[in-house]
Amino acid sequence: LTKNNHPEWAEKAHDTSPGDDEDKHVFLAEDSAFFRRHVENALKEEGYIVTSAVDGQEAWDKLKDMDPLPDAVITDVEMPNMNGLEFCQAIRADSRTANLPVIALTSLASDEDVARGKAAGIDDYQVKMDRDSLLNSIEHFTAKK
């Protein structure tokens, strides 16, 4: 996943004015260090503040005590200790975090996988490696009202 192999990850998805997203904070739960680093970099290039965790349990431990809460959560589905669906269920079960937008970022893209994600409370389902679609989803859920 280098700039040469996937140049779209090094390009901006859309033009932003300086400061557009400076105060938008996303939380990323991804167990692959390699992929986590690339997603973090893409988000930071777009002006997002990023907090990350290496699995669902670490993510939940960090998220439940955050103040203020992030604007959106992005989670892999397949992770050790607590998977992304369990992480989402924990978010939905806590009144403080229940309304956070949760975006699944995964390689599991069958209709059955998407249905399981929706049943767990996932708001949007994004397939890994579609940078523009992920950024559009984040923008949708973090747009100022």
Side-chain angles (χ1 to χ4, degrees), residues 36-78:
R36 186 175 58 250
R37 183 177 68 246
H38 286 282
V39 173
E40 284 174 346
N41 289 340
L43 294 172
K44 287 176 182 177
E45 285 174 9
E46 292 295 320
Y48 291 98
I49 298 165
V50 181
T51 300
S52 61
V54 301
D55 62 42
Q57 187 61 59
E58 180 187 39
W60 178 240
D61 290 344
K62 286 183 176 183
L63 182 65
K64 67 182 179 184
D65 295 326
M66 288 182 86
D67 188 22
L69 289 170
D71 297 295
V73 174
I74 304 165
T75 184
D76 187 9
V77 172
E78 294 185 303

Side-chain angles (χ1 to χ4, degrees), residues 109-125:
S110 74
D111 289 343
E112 186 177 301
D113 293 321
V114 172
R116 267 197 305 270
K118 295 288 185 187
I122 298 290
D123 293 298
D124 196 16
Y125 214 88

Side-chain angles (χ1 to χ4, degrees), residues 13-132:
H14 51 50
D15 292 330
T16 57
S17 302
D20 271 358
D21 296 316
E22 281 185 292
D23 60 343
K24 293 183 182 173
H25 179 195
V26 295
F27 192 100
L28 173 64
E30 168 63 57
D31 61 316
S32 165
F34 182 76
F35 195 70
R36 186 175 58 250
R37 183 177 68 246
H38 286 282
V39 173
E40 284 174 346
N41 289 340
L43 294 172
K44 287 176 182 177
E45 285 174 9
E46 292 295 320
Y48 291 98
I49 298 165
V50 181
T51 300
S52 61
V54 301
D55 62 42
Q57 187 61 59
E58 180 187 39
W60 178 240
D61 290 344
K62 286 183 176 183
L63 182 65
K64 67 182 179 184
D65 295 326
M66 288 182 86
D67 188 22
L69 289 170
D71 297 295
V73 174
I74 304 165
T75 184
D76 187 9
V77 172
E78 294 185 303
M79 294 184 292
N81 301 318
M82 178 189 281
N83 69 39
L85 300 182
E86 294 165 333
F87 175 42
C88 185
Q89 289 168 332
I91 290 169
R92 297 293 178 238
D94 186 300
S95 62
R96 193 170 161 269
T97 59
N99 294 320
L100 281 175
V102 179
I103 302 166
L105 183 61
T106 183
S107 56
L108 301 174
S110 74
D111 289 343
E112 186 177 301
D113 293 321
V114 172
R116 267 197 305 270
K118 295 288 185 187
I122 298 290
D123 293 298
D124 196 16
Y125 214 88
Q126 295 294 320
V127 177
K128 286 184 178 180
M129 304 309 299
D130 189 343
R131 179 184 184 272
D132 290 348

